[in-house]
Amino acid sequence: MSTLTRWTSTHAGSTATELHHGALLATALEYANRGWHVFPLIPGSKRPATPRHAATDCDHTDPWCRGGHTGWEQRATTDPDRITRAWTAAPYGVGIACGPSGLLVIDTDTPKPGAALPPVERVGNATSGEGVLIALAEDCGDPDGMPETWTVDTPSGGVHRYYTTAHLAESLGNSAGRLGPWIDTRGNGGYVVAPPTVTDAGRYLVGIDTPPAPLPAWLVQLLTTRPAAPSSVAEPRPVAHRSAYLRAVLTKEAEHVREATEGGRNHGLFAAACCLGELIAGGSLTEADAAATLLDACAGHIAAEAFTEAEAWQTIRSGFRRGATKPRTAA
């Protein structure tokens, strides 16, 4: 597989803006040539340019939605004609839909200014997602550490590592903090912002320009291992009594929702709702308390128009229903 083609122009009258617009189109076409499904992002933003309406507001007049609401993942494409039409119309940023592209992207970040650091036992001496990831590789006994793969440097000082998933029997979705602090993953239902996109935070740049490597087996295991089911079910405690464990679960799930990033917010909310739905079904938590906790946690995402309150409610209810199939009680 060839490395990423760099776009250039010999037109003497090209301005910096025109050059960047041309680079976005040419690079989107190059990603499509790799088999990566791309879609346009609002210029200067990380948000998808289409659809321009939420699922709850869909009136099916959009040609893409005549058979039902169609989101950015379904609209992502490798069709060069569609890509050319889209990026000729405006200098859109480039988003890559990870699931359809057969990719799992590991997103390592740096601590936000003023944010509380996680417990020492979770990070050791690491002070960033990169440090945590390296420590994970060592702990899992991988003699080669993190294999070289295609990487992107993000404006926040983080790194996106692209890995292929064609060799996996089971598809992988998104995760937030599952591998450790400051580490998220993007798979089915998630996307990443790709170079040479520029947002208000800065420019996304290619870090290592080499074909993506297969996702290492030890990472697959960490991302697919499920906690063991309890051997017995204890009598439910009264809902009015919140144990330290229950308070910790509510705090942790709310934190996961608040810290979910672009492309993984809805999945993070759903995963948190599933977790709390198990406790609701087990009698340790009321649905009203769980819903209030989750809605408060995603208030920032609603304000940023990542989704509407109605969409958040729909995701929460779906998570509660899924969680109810595995009832458990708070210790």
Side-chain angles (χ1 to χ4, degrees), residues 120 123-128 131:
V120 173
V123 300
N125 295 321
T127 58
S128 68

Side-chain angles (χ1 to χ4, degrees), residues 138-213:
E138 294 174 351
D139 290 344
C140 292
D142 190 329
D144 299 321
M146 295 300 299
E148 183 175 88
T149 192
W150 205 73
T151 66
V152 171
D153 297 329
T154 72
S156 65
V159 175
H160 289 172
R161 280 184 170 81
Y162 288 51
Y163 291 101
T164 61
T165 58
H167 61 296
L168 303 184
E170 179 182 355
S171 62
L172 297 174
N174 304 319
S175 72
R178 180 166 185 172
L179 294 177
W182 313 304
I183 304 177
D184 295 337
T185 64
R186 299 288 176 265
N188 285 339
Y191 69 87
V192 286
V193 181
T197 302
V198 177
T199 68
D200 292 340
R203 184 184 298 270
Y204 287 76
L205 300 169
V206 176
I208 299 176
D209 194 353
T210 191

Side-chain angles (χ1 to χ4, degrees), residues 78-163:
T78 59
D79 184 333
D81 291 335
R82 284 179 52 198
I83 293 169
T84 300
R85 286 196 299 270
W87 270 272
T88 299
Y92 293 119
V94 183
I96 296 176
C98 298
S101 303
L103 295 171
L104 191 287
V105 177
I106 299 177
D107 175 7
T108 57
D109 209 344
T110 55
K112 301 296 185 291
L117 294 177
V120 173
E121 60 270 18
R122 292 198 64 198
V123 300
N125 295 321
T127 58
S128 68
E130 283 292 288
V132 175
L133 191 60
I134 292 170
L136 270 179
E138 294 174 351
D139 290 344
C140 292
D142 190 329
D144 299 321
M146 295 300 299
E148 183 175 88
T149 192
W150 205 73
T151 66
V152 171
D153 297 329
T154 72
S156 65
V159 175
H160 289 172
R161 280 184 170 81
Y162 288 51
Y163 291 101

Side-chain angles (χ1 to χ4, degrees), residues 46-330:
K46 296 192 292 184
R47 292 178 55 201
T50 59
R52 294 184 175 86
H53 59 274
T56 51
D57 300 326
C58 186
D59 59 8
H60 308 298
T61 57
D62 185 322
W64 278 90
C65 297
R66 286 172 183 166
H69 181 70
T70 305
W72 56 265
E73 188 171 33
Q74 293 74 35
R75 300 183 188 212
T77 185
T78 59
D79 184 333
D81 291 335
R82 284 179 52 198
I83 293 169
T84 300
R85 286 196 299 270
W87 270 272
T88 299
Y92 293 119
V94 183
I96 296 176
C98 298
S101 303
L103 295 171
L104 191 287
V105 177
I106 299 177
D107 175 7
T108 57
D109 209 344
T110 55
K112 301 296 185 291
L117 294 177
V120 173
E121 60 270 18
R122 292 198 64 198
V123 300
N125 295 321
T127 58
S128 68
E130 283 292 288
V132 175
L133 191 60
I134 292 170
L136 270 179
E138 294 174 351
D139 290 344
C140 292
D142 190 329
D144 299 321
M146 295 300 299
E148 183 175 88
T149 192
W150 205 73
T151 66
V152 171
D153 297 329
T154 72
S156 65
V159 175
H160 289 172
R161 280 184 170 81
Y162 288 51
Y163 291 101
T164 61
T165 58
H167 61 296
L168 303 184
E170 179 182 355
S171 62
L172 297 174
N174 304 319
S175 72
R178 180 166 185 172
L179 294 177
W182 313 304
I183 304 177
D184 295 337
T185 64
R186 299 288 176 265
N188 285 339
Y191 69 87
V192 286
V193 181
T197 302
V198 177
T199 68
D200 292 340
R203 184 184 298 270
Y204 287 76
L205 300 169
V206 176
I208 299 176
D209 194 353
T210 191
L215 185 67
W218 63 270
L219 276 168
V220 176
Q221 183 175 10
L222 289 177
L223 291 169
T224 56
T225 300
R226 301 290 189 268
S231 57
S232 61
V233 178
E235 287 294 322
R237 292 174 179 266
V239 173
H241 172 69
R242 284 194 178 182
S243 66
Y245 171 80
L246 184 57
R247 290 195 298 272
V249 170
L250 288 168
T251 300
K252 182 186 73 172
E253 295 306 323
E255 182 180 4
H256 285 169
V257 172
R258 281 194 297 270
E259 294 184 354
T261 55
E262 196 80 26
R265 289 165 171 155
N266 190 67
H267 178 81
L269 180 58
F270 177 77
C274 288
C275 176
L276 298 188
E278 296 173 5
L279 295 170
I280 294 169
S284 295
L285 184 66
T286 67
E287 183 171 321
D289 280 351
T293 297
L294 295 177
L295 280 173
D296 285 346
C298 66
H301 303 317
I302 295 172
E305 298 182 350
F307 42 65
T308 66
E309 185 170 347
E311 288 174 320
W313 262 114
Q314 183 177 2
T315 298
I316 290 170
R317 292 192 183 101
S318 295
F320 285 170
R321 288 194 295 270
R322 175 71 65 84
T325 63
K326 298 189 296 181
R328 64 187 176 98
T329 58

